[in-house]
């Protein structure tokens, strides 16, 4: 009479062990998720400077981009010949602007 010491012909003990292992893992996963700490909620707080900047941005968005009054004054000064251009000052301003672009 031959004895099967490896249980190769009978798969029930192996299946039972596999089922038990699966149940234990499932129970551990459920227990871990139940005891896991709850996620914190994110929060944001703005500094007074940031709040002030936000207000200024909103205010500037409501203002026209071009100062029409200033434009009209310059047009009148150019037409009447009162607007004088200093070429040396203009050249210095252009050079300064280009120098700042290189930085």
């Amino acid at each position: 009479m031959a004895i099967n010491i490896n249980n190769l012909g009978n798969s029930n003990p192996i299946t039972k062990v596999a089922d038990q292992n699966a149940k234990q893992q499932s129970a551990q996963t459920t227990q871990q998720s139940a005891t896991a700490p709850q996620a914190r909620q994110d929060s944001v707080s703005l500094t007074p400077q940031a709040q002030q900047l936000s207000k200024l941005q909103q205010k500037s968005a409501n203002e026209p981009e071009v100062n029409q009054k200033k434009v009209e004054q310059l047009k009148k000064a150019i037409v009447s010949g009162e607007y004088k251009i200093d070429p040396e000052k203009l050249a210095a301003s252009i050079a300064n602007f280009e120098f700042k672009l290189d930085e």
Side-chain angles (χ1 to χ4, degrees):
M1 175 183 225
I3 300 174
N4 186 358
I5 60 172
N6 292 325
N7 281 335
L8 294 177
N10 187 1
S11 63
N12 278 344
I14 295 172
T15 306
K16 287 180 183 178
V17 170
D19 287 342
Q20 288 174 351
N21 287 342
K23 287 179 185 178
Q24 287 176 349
Q25 287 177 350
S26 176
Q28 287 175 349
T29 304
T30 304
Q31 184 181 18
Q32 287 174 353
S33 64
T35 60
Q38 299 223 350
R40 294 184 184 176
Q41 292 183 351
D42 293 334
S43 65
V44 176
S45 61
L46 299 177
T47 63
Q49 293 86 358
Q51 292 172 351
Q52 184 179 14
L53 180 61
S54 176
K55 288 177 185 177
L56 287 172
Q57 287 174 335
Q58 290 173 354
K59 187 176 181 180
S60 68
N62 295 333
E63 296 293 321
E65 291 186 29
V66 178
N67 185 345
Q68 283 301 114
K69 185 177 179 181
K70 180 92 172 182
V71 171
E72 294 301 321
Q73 288 175 348
L74 288 172
K75 281 183 180 180
K76 287 180 185 176
I78 291 170
V79 170
S80 68
E82 296 174 13
Y83 187 75
K84 303 292 182 194
I85 297 174
D86 182 2
E88 290 178 12
K89 185 177 178 183
L90 178 60
S93 295
I94 291 171
N96 188 26
F97 176 74
E98 289 181 358
F99 178 74
K100 288 182 179 180
L101 287 177
D102 289 337
E103 291 179 354

